[in-house]
């Protein structure tokens, strides 16, 4: 990316560039301007429309009339760039204020192809979701500060010139994005995820195009027939008309709606697509099951999703029950445990649906859930049927080995499963009751065609797709921060054995993944051993996540005992890549009967203060002070950069 210039943020009217000068500036900085427009445009436009509109906004910034002669002193090229940038920002900001998006602009026009930036990693995805939740002016402020290198006062001036009513509020909203530092955001914004000049090409919906072409041909024939009929009617006298001529015509069917009831429009992936693609999600699943050719069953499933059947419809948190916006993809159709089961995917809206039809004539059911950004692990299985205490799964085609294990018994070995056509036998699932005597999980391993020896765990939380479990080990002094890893080793399994029962509170919340982060270890007073502090974070399919911080005293003999939840919060970036610092406090009684106020923070905490009923501070990430049980204690941590931090919630 070119190094930003440092021109004045506002160009006087007599410094407007001429057409030729503006064209030279635009061509030189085209990629930079398109990236800026793409970041400011509303994400609701969709990936393809946003890319095309970003290029159009920049191309439309070229003035159409010559400028008056202007002085040649000063940085003419810099002033030209600032003038073009202001026009780009003003146009991009206007898109968010429009109630309805205008039709595709003049140029560029892309027919028959869909454009999308290259997919980024977890960091880019989280930043994209965070940016989607703030106004366009805040996105513009972030881009000007980090991509253009402007100071806050220069950014305010540029925003005001572009028509932003409250530039200071936009700057504050940009600075308030959770868990985001200027350094990390600058790196992420420079990634391909936010570069509309580096795109991937995909075909548009081929079946829909074919149907539209047929509909257009049919409409043309109908128009010719209507014209000929009208001509004949005009030359026919009134006395030759009959009563039949006055009958109203039948209402026309909505164009392109056949995919909501016609199984012939269903899409399917080639059987080996998963082994030859970098997009390993539900779109790579082939159609499986003995009834995938049963047009009557598939038609009933489609009509149920369109809302025209008798099925009882339920939705997962954040999912819409609306009919698909394009022909769905067939994933599975067969009889399972006395039910006819159909799995459908609407890739355009990232939703998966399960239609179940009892053989005894009871009311069918349709369950719809989100599948946003599913991957190798989060698209590894879908629930076909669920009974109290057990479930059958359909495994992804890239799963080479499967088994079950009890998360509360880390020393036990995995019991292997033998799926048939990807369908597992009935396997145990966690109990819906309050007891937590066991916590069954699925142990899966990907094919070596995907990645060598990639094993991972997923667990049933009452959703259509099981949740992926990961573990982040405790930090070692002087080593870089560790990333979440799969729950396969002894340390990870023993840690999850003490956190597993917390998963019961996450049922029905639309959880896609849960990470168990051992963020601190603390040597307890009175020689009582070492305690562990754990932050368990649950991320949902719809984006937000929640955390629960546990204090785990030294493990006693016998079955693993869960820790005590000492802090929790919903809709937070804490304990994630964008919230890497955490602190919490707990009350603890030593074996000698003495009560203490304890606190522990993550690796970048340099000091902890305890106030309220006590007054103490300790260097480093842990603290322990004698305090009676009823004494109020407030915990505050100081980070290495001087910022303060309070416990979640």
């Amino acid at each position: 990316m070119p190094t930003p210039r440092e021109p004045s943020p506002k160009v006087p009217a007599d410094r407007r560039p001429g057409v030729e000068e503006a064209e030279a500036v635009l061509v030189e900085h085209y990629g930079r301007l398109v990236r800026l427009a793409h970041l400011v445009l509303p994400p609701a436009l969709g990936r393809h429309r946003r890319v095309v509109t970003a290029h159009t906004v920049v191309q439309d910034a070229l003035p159409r009339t010559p400028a008056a002669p202007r002085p040649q002193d000063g940085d003419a090229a810099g002033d030209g760039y600032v003038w073009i940038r202001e026009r780009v920002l003003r146009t991009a900001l206007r898109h968010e204020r429009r109630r309805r998006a205008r039709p595709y602009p003049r140029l560029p026009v892309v027919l028959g192809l869909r454009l999308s930036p290259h997919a980024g990693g977890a960091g880019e995805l989280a930043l994209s979701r965070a940016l989607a939740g703030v106004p366009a002016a805040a996105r513009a402020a972030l881009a000007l500060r980090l991509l253009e290198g402007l100071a806050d006062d220069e950014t305010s001036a540029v925003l005001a010139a572009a028509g932003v009513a409250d530039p200071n509020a936009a700057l504050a909203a940009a600075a308030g994005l959770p868990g985001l530092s200027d350094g990390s955001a600058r790196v992420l914004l420079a990634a391909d995820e936010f570069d509309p000049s580096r795109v991937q090409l995909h075909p548009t919906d081929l079946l829909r195009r074919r149907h539209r072409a047929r509909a257009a041909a049919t409409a043309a024939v109908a128009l010719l027939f209507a014209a000929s009929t009208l001509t004949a009617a005009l030359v026919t006298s009134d006395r030759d008309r009959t009563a039949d001529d006055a009958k109203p015509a039948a209402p026309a069917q909505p164009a392109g709606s056949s995919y909501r009831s016609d199984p012939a429009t269903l899409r399917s992936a080639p059987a080996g697509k998963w082994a030859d693609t970098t997009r390993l999600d539900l779109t790579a699943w082939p159609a499986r099951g003995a009834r995938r050719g049963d047009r009557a069953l598939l038609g009933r499933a489609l009509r149920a999703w369109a809302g025209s059947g008798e099925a009882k419809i339920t939705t997962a948190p954040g999912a819409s029950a609306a009919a698909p916006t394009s022909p769905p993809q067939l994933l599975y159709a067969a009889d399972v445990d006395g039910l006819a089961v159909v799995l459908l995917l609407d890739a355009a809206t990232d939703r998966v649906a399960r239609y179940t039809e009892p053989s005894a004539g009871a009311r069918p059911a349709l369950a719809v859930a989100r599948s946003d950004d599913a991957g190798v692990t989060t698209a590894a299985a879908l629930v076909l049927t669920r009974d109290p205490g057990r479930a059958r799964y359909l495994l992804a085609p890239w799963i080479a080995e499967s088994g079950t294990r009890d998360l509360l018994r880390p020393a036990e070995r995995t019991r292997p499963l033998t799926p048939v056509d990807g369908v597992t036998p009935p396997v145990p699932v966690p109990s819906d009751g309050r007891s937590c005597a066991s916590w069954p999980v699925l142990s899966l391993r990907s094919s070596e065609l995907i990645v060598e020896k990639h094993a991972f765990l997923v667990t049933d939380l009452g959703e259509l797709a099981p949740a992926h479990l990961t573990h982040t080990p405790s930090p070692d002094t002087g080593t870089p921060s560790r990333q979440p890893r799969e729950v396969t080793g002894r340390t990870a399994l023993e840690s999850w054995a003490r956190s597993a029962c917390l998963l019961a509170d996450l049922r029905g919340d639309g959880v896609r993944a849960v990470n168990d982060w051992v963020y601190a270890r603390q040597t307890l007073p009175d020689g009582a051993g070492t305690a562990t502090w754990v932050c368990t974070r649950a991320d949902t399919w719809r984006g937000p996540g929640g955390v629960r911080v546990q204090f785990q005293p030294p493990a006693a003999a016998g079955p693993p005992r869960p820790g005590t939840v000492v802090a929790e919060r919903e809709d937070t970036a804490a304990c994630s890549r964008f919230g890497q610092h955490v602190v919490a406090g707990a009350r603890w009684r030593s074996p000698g009967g003495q009560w203490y106020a304890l606190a522990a923070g993550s690796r970048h905490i340099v000091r902890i203060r305890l106030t309220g009923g006590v007054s103490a501070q300790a260097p480093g990430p842990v603290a322990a002070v004698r305090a009676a049980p009823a004494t109020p204690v407030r915990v505050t941590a100081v980070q290495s950069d001087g910022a303060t931090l309070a416990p979640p919630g």
Side-chain angles (χ1 to χ4, degrees), residues 280-548:
L280 279 172
D281 56 15
L282 292 172
T283 62
W285 282 35
R288 289 176 284 178
R291 299 186 66 177
R292 61 184 181 272
D294 189 335
R295 294 174 59 88
L297 172 62
L298 300 180
R300 292 194 295 272
L302 286 172
R303 288 191 293 274
W305 202 352
S308 58
E310 298 297 326
K312 177 184 178 181
I313 300 178
T314 59
T315 58
S320 168
T325 58
S326 62
Q329 179 179 336
L330 176 62
L331 304 180
Y332 184 79
D335 294 323
V336 184
D337 296 335
L339 296 173
V341 181
V342 178
L343 291 178
L344 300 172
L345 172 69
D346 182 9
T349 58
D350 289 323
R351 293 178 301 155
V352 62
R354 181 188 61 205
Y355 174 79
T356 54
E357 188 179 84
S359 58
R363 186 180 181 187
L366 183 82
V368 184
R370 296 179 64 157
S371 60
D372 309 53
D373 302 298
V376 175
T377 55
T378 50
L382 292 174
V383 175
L384 290 177
T385 62
R386 183 188 287 111
D387 296 319
R390 67 176 196 168
R392 282 188 193 265
Y393 296 91
L394 177 65
L395 303 181
W398 56 81
I399 298 301
E401 293 180 8
S402 59
T404 63
R405 65 177 304 126
D406 189 346
L407 210 53
L408 295 181
R409 292 165 177 79
E412 292 186 359
R413 303 178 70 87
T414 299
R415 295 173 292 279
L417 295 173
T418 307
V420 178
D421 195 22
V423 179
T424 68
V427 297
V429 295
S431 170
D432 291 339
R434 293 182 176 272
S435 65
C436 187
S438 67
W439 196 276
V441 294
L442 272 181
S443 176
L444 306 175
R445 186 180 68 79
S446 299
S447 166
E448 293 185 358
L449 295 176
I450 302 302
V451 61
E452 186 177 0
K453 297 181 180 179
H454 179 210
F456 55 95
L457 298 185
V458 296
T459 187
D460 182 84
L461 293 179
E463 308 288 344
L464 200 51
H468 178 214
L469 302 181
T470 56
H471 171 72
T472 304
S474 61
D476 297 324
T477 303
T479 61
S481 300
R482 299 190 179 187
Q483 298 300 317
R485 57 195 63 188
E486 303 300 348
V487 186
T488 54
R490 175 182 173 184
T491 301
L493 289 169
E494 290 179 347
S495 177
W496 260 111
R498 303 192 68 178
S499 300
C501 292
L502 292 180
L503 294 170
D505 296 333
L506 303 177
R507 285 193 182 96
D509 288 347
V511 173
R512 73 193 299 266
V514 189
N515 181 54
D516 207 43
W517 174 29
V518 180
Y519 71 85
R521 295 191 186 276
Q522 181 177 19
T523 302
L524 296 175
D526 301 341
T530 302
T532 303
W533 295 79
V534 180
C535 185
T536 303
R537 177 178 177 84
D539 288 304
T540 63
W541 289 102
R542 60 191 182 276
V547 298
R548 289 168 175 78

